[in-house]
């Protein structure tokens, strides 16, 4: 189960995520990412405070987001990720590719 | 996958058992049900995460490699005995050799990172032992994890 929404804050897009980012929800996650990028933001922030689980299916979406963001000059950040999510980022080497911050406000500073 | 002492499954009935025809819809339903099961809720948070990861990654593999796209039968169960989690998951499908699955280069720059290949890698990292055997046309994974909360996180996961 995944609930998601997008809020535009200035020139930035914040994707609010709640639930599981897994193989059953990766398509919905991908749709939100596509929708956010279609708004040509300066930054995309993944708000992950209510994400309790993330598997490799979500990492596939994030790696595509990072590549598309880099090509278009869009910075990608992850905010409020739990210790488990940060551990998955660390194990998979993503902590070197995506900037993680404590809050959405910090991401948008 | 890892050379380890060849332990067998624990004695007695498992603390948790599920059986399904592997599909995304069934996986979603099983994850929802498992998250409410008392045996699952009794696990430390890092072990809860590991169990969900094993179920999600291996069910995805089963679906991806299903002959003719027919949802294969899949079973998962786990025991908690003597401070150790033992999880068995098996499914119908063609045999494969995990040794042939290349390890992702997690040090590579973004441009060189492949999209896939992280599933088994994550599994090997969150579990202490992962073994695969072939039994009656089924791929059978036997995995173990010591129940020490390495992250020392208390409380409930958001979901």
């Amino acid at each position: 189960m995944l609930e998601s929404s997008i809020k535009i804050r200035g020139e930035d897009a914040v994707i609010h995520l709640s639930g599981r980012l897994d193989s059953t929800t990766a398509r919905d996650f991908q749709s939100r990412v596509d929708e956010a990028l279609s708004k040509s933001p300066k930054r995309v922030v993944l708000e992950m405070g209510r994400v309790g689980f993330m598997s490799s299916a979500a990492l596939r979406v994030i790696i595509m987001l990072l590549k598309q963001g880099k090509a278009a000059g869009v910075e990608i950040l992850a905010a409020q990720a739990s210790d488990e999510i940060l551990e998955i980022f660390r194990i998979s080497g993503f902590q070197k590719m995506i900037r993680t911050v404590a809050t959405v406000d910090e991401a948008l500073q | 996958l890892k050379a380890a002492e060849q332990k067998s499954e624990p004695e007695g009935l498992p603390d948790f058992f599920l059986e399904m025809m592997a599909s995304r819809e069934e996986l979603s339903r099983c994850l929802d049900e498992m998250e409410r099961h008392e045996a699952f809720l009794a696990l430390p948070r890092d072990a809860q995460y590991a169990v969900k990861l094993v179920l999600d990654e291996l069910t995805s593999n089963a679906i991806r490699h299903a002959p003719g796209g027919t949802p294969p039968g899949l079973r998962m169960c786990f025991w908690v005995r003597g401070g150790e989690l033992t999880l068995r998951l098996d499914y119908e499908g063609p045999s494969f050799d995990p040794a042939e699955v290349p390890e992702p280069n997690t040090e590579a720059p973004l441009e060189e990172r492949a999209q896939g290949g992280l599933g088994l890698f994550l599994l090997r990292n969150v579990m202490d032992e992962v073994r695969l055997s072939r039994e009656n046309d089924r791929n059978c994974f036997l995995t173990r994890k010591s129940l020490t909360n390495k992250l020392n996180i208390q409380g409930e996961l958001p979901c």
Side-chain angles (χ1 to χ4, degrees):
Chain A
M1 194 76 166
L2 175 72
E3 292 177 9
S4 65
S5 62
I6 295 178
K7 278 191 186 150
I8 301 300
R9 289 179 60 173
E11 294 180 288
D12 304 316
V14 181
I15 305 178
H16 297 274
L17 300 159
S18 177
R20 291 189 302 258
L21 285 175
D22 58 23
S23 63
T24 72
T25 61
R27 281 183 194 168
D28 294 340
F29 180 34
Q30 179 71 65
S31 296
R32 283 296 185 205
V33 163
D34 293 343
E35 187 184 342
L37 287 174
S38 74
K39 300 183 186 304
S40 304
K42 201 168 137 190
R43 288 177 286 209
V44 171
V45 181
L46 304 175
E47 194 266 291
M48 306 183 83
R50 300 289 300 167
V51 174
F53 178 70
M54 178 174 70
S55 71
S56 68
L59 292 177
R60 277 196 290 277
V61 176
I62 292 174
I63 208 160
M64 279 305 294
L65 169 62
L66 288 166
K67 287 183 176 182
Q68 288 174 300
K70 188 165 188 182
V74 180
E75 188 183 7
I76 313 299
L77 302 99
Q80 292 178 235
S82 68
D83 287 348
E84 285 90 351
I85 301 300
L86 291 173
E87 178 71 355
I88 294 296
F89 278 148
R90 187 194 65 76
I91 292 169
S92 54
F94 275 51
Q95 88 280 21
K96 295 190 282 295
M97 301 189 293
I98 186 168
R99 188 152 75 87
T100 57
V101 292
T103 65
V104 171
D105 285 342
E106 186 182 338
L108 299 179
Q109 278 173 7
Chain B
L1 300 178
K2 285 182 182 173
E5 184 186 350
Q6 298 290 298
K7 289 185 194 171
S8 58
E9 292 166 14
E11 298 281 337
L13 292 173
D15 301 321
F16 177 84
F17 176 83
L18 69 83
E19 185 164 20
M20 64 170 159
M21 301 307 287
S23 66
R24 304 258 180 254
E25 295 74 21
E26 276 293 280
L27 174 59
S28 183
R29 187 185 62 78
C30 286
L31 281 164
D32 287 343
E33 284 188 13
M34 188 171 74
E35 284 176 348
R36 294 192 292 267
H37 194 281
E38 62 180 23
F40 177 81
L41 292 171
L43 294 170
R45 276 179 59 159
D46 65 334
Q48 289 183 3
Y49 199 104
V51 168
K52 286 199 276 190
L53 195 70
V54 171
L55 181 58
D56 187 79
E57 301 294 352
L58 294 182
T59 304
S60 294
N61 269 9
I63 294 169
R64 193 177 307 125
H65 300 294
T70 306
L74 182 146
R75 300 178 295 213
M76 188 195 86
C77 59
F78 68 74
W79 298 256
V80 176
R81 302 285 188 275
E84 186 177 70
L85 167 73
T86 304
L87 187 155
R88 177 193 162 101
L89 186 149
D90 63 69
Y91 60 86
E92 302 160 346
S95 65
F96 78 103
D97 182 0
E100 290 180 4
V101 178
E103 287 252 321
N105 180 2
T106 58
E107 300 296 320
L110 176 62
E111 300 74 24
E112 295 170 23
R113 288 293 300 259
Q115 250 192 293
L118 282 167
L120 277 176
F121 178 76
L122 290 179
L123 221 71
R124 290 170 175 136
N125 274 275
V126 300
M127 301 302 288
D128 297 327
E129 180 189 346
V130 180
R131 278 195 281 140
L132 171 65
S133 59
R134 187 79 179 153
E135 296 175 17
N136 301 320
D137 296 328
R138 300 177 79 93
N139 292 312
C140 173
F141 286 83
L142 194 63
T143 72
R144 295 181 202 284
K145 182 177 182 63
S146 173
L147 293 181
T148 53
N149 192 340
K150 290 175 186 167
L151 292 174
N152 195 27
I153 297 162
Q154 304 300 318
E156 292 181 5
L157 286 165
C159 50

